[in-house]
Amino acid sequence: MKQTIPARTLEGGLIEPHHEIEVVCSACGYDLDEAELQADVCSDCYAPSNLRQYTSINGTPVPAAGGEVF
């Protein structure tokens, strides 16, 4: 299962960057969907459910604080 969360501005001006979260079977690397996450075994290799999560974070540019841009 792969979730994509777009960048957004939080309270206080904090920025949550664009990031992606992918959940796969740790035994075979099969990309599990939401229904398969509830099962006790992987539907591809039938190994006991042992999940691996990958998170990738993309940098978000911060606007200039003021003054001239060089």
Side-chain angles (χ1 to χ4, degrees):
M1 179 177 83
K2 189 172 191 176
Q3 291 179 298
T4 302
I5 296 92
R8 63 186 178 133
T9 303
L10 304 173
E11 292 180 29
L14 296 174
I15 298 173
E16 179 181 24
H18 170 89
H19 58 285
E20 297 175 346
I21 302 170
E22 184 175 12
V23 179
V24 298
C25 172
S26 65
C28 69
Y30 180 69
D31 187 11
L32 301 165
D33 65 21
E34 203 163 332
E36 293 170 324
L37 291 175
Q38 305 302 322
D40 291 337
V41 296
C42 174
S43 61
D44 192 48
C45 70
Y46 302 105
S49 225
N50 190 10
L51 306 176
R52 182 176 294 170
Q53 178 175 316
Y54 296 102
T55 304
S56 63
I57 300 172
N58 299 338
T60 304
V62 178
E68 293 183 32
V69 177
F70 299 99

